[in-house]
Amino acid sequence: MGSEGLPSVTIHVTGFKKFHGVSENPTETIVINLKEYRKKNGLPKGLILGSCSILETAGQGAVVPLYQTLQSAVSMKDSESSNSGRVIWLHFGVNSGATRFAIEKQAVNEATFRCPDEMGWKPQKVPIIPADGGISQKLETALPVEEITRTLAKMGYDVMTSDDAGRFVCNYVYYHSLRFAEQNGIKSLFVHVPLFLVIDEETQMQFAASLLEVLASLN
């Protein structure tokens, strides 16, 4: 097969399990059902949906499985042709107080958990990666967040750009992922979704599928 037939982008996706105050995490449902949903509706040309993983809603105690998950995409990329195209990590997290989707521009090197995570850790003003400096240190995604948001809004979704992913597990995972992406020549994006009570499951599945298409269409 010639190089023109190789996929141009592989997107690996993560969601989270339930946690304190959220007995049903919509991101777990979205990520578990995404492959089947895309199979029924087809994938855009040049897009491969890679791994779909569910992460523990935990910080420090879940770092090892997180890195194993992130590393698996790089190992896969290295084992395939060097012309296998771009790799994007797409992370979904829930914001139980949100009324719309939020495309997160950055993560901050600060863990200040409002409640204990699922492993009982409740850090306050702790740097996620001490070697990176203080808690004001930020990492930004290399993906064009405003462009992605505009495109999704034109498709009819209630979506915004955000520069505050919180200081809980979502921000914790995003910071690690952005750092890992920077070091491994891949890209990372975090998206917050509301509860299914606010935006129903079918609409959220459509949004996730549309987001994959938008990411695949980026140069």
Side-chain angles (χ1 to χ4, degrees):
M1 186 166 67
S3 60
E4 70 281 1
L6 288 168
S8 58
V9 61
T10 301
I11 301 177
H12 300 276
V13 188
T14 71
F16 287 103
K17 294 180 182 177
K18 68 175 180 62
F19 63 99
H20 180 79
V22 177
S23 56
E24 184 197 19
N25 193 324
T27 70
E28 182 171 14
T29 305
I30 290 167
V31 174
I32 284 172
N33 294 328
L34 195 54
K35 281 208 166 169
E36 197 57 40
Y37 188 89
R38 289 310 309 168
K39 207 181 284 180
K40 279 184 198 161
N41 295 277
L43 282 170
K45 190 180 177 186
L47 167 63
I48 277 198
L49 182 55
S51 60
C52 291
S53 311
I54 307 300
L55 304 173
E56 288 287 346
T57 307
Q60 202 171 52
V63 163
V64 171
L66 171 64
Y67 270 86
Q68 286 169 344
T69 304
L70 294 172
Q71 187 60 47
S72 66
V74 175
S75 305
M76 204 182 297
K77 183 186 177 203
D78 290 344
S79 68
E80 291 167 3
S81 163
S82 58
N83 194 23
S84 58
R86 296 169 294 137
V87 172
I88 296 173
W89 268 109
L90 173 59
H91 306 285
F92 286 104
V94 65
N95 177 354
S96 56
T99 57
R100 52 168 68 173
F101 300 107
I103 313 295
E104 299 292 350
K105 187 187 293 185
Q106 63 185 22
V108 184
N109 189 30
E110 179 188 345
T112 296
F113 290 6
R114 65 183 184 278
C115 61
D117 67 14
E118 288 302 283
M119 293 184 175
W121 191 45
K122 192 183 176 186
Q124 298 297 307
K125 297 197 180 299
V126 172
I128 295 168
I129 306 278
D132 283 3
I135 57 174
S136 60
Q137 175 71 24
K138 295 171 186 172
L139 289 177
E140 286 195 13
T141 179
L143 289 162
V145 169
E146 284 84 2
E147 181 187 334
I148 293 165
T149 305
R150 274 196 307 272
T151 305
L152 288 164
K154 281 178 189 165
M155 295 165 91
Y157 296 107
D158 192 0
V159 59
M160 61 178 275
T161 297
S162 165
D163 59 6
D164 185 1
R167 299 294 182 273
F168 193 47
V169 175
C170 290
N171 175 75
Y172 189 91
V173 165
Y174 197 19
Y175 191 88
H176 276 286
S177 181
L178 286 168
R179 197 172 186 270
F180 184 89
E182 209 174 71
Q183 292 168 348
N184 288 277
I186 59 179
K187 291 179 180 175
S188 172
L189 185 68
F190 199 103
V191 176
H192 267 119
V193 305
L195 295 169
F196 284 151
L197 286 170
V198 179
I199 297 181
D200 66 84
E201 182 178 335
E202 178 58 26
T203 304
Q204 295 220 32
M205 289 305 305
Q206 289 170 358
F207 172 82
S210 296
L211 178 56
L212 290 176
E213 291 174 22
V214 172
L215 292 174
S217 71
L218 297 171
N219 293 325

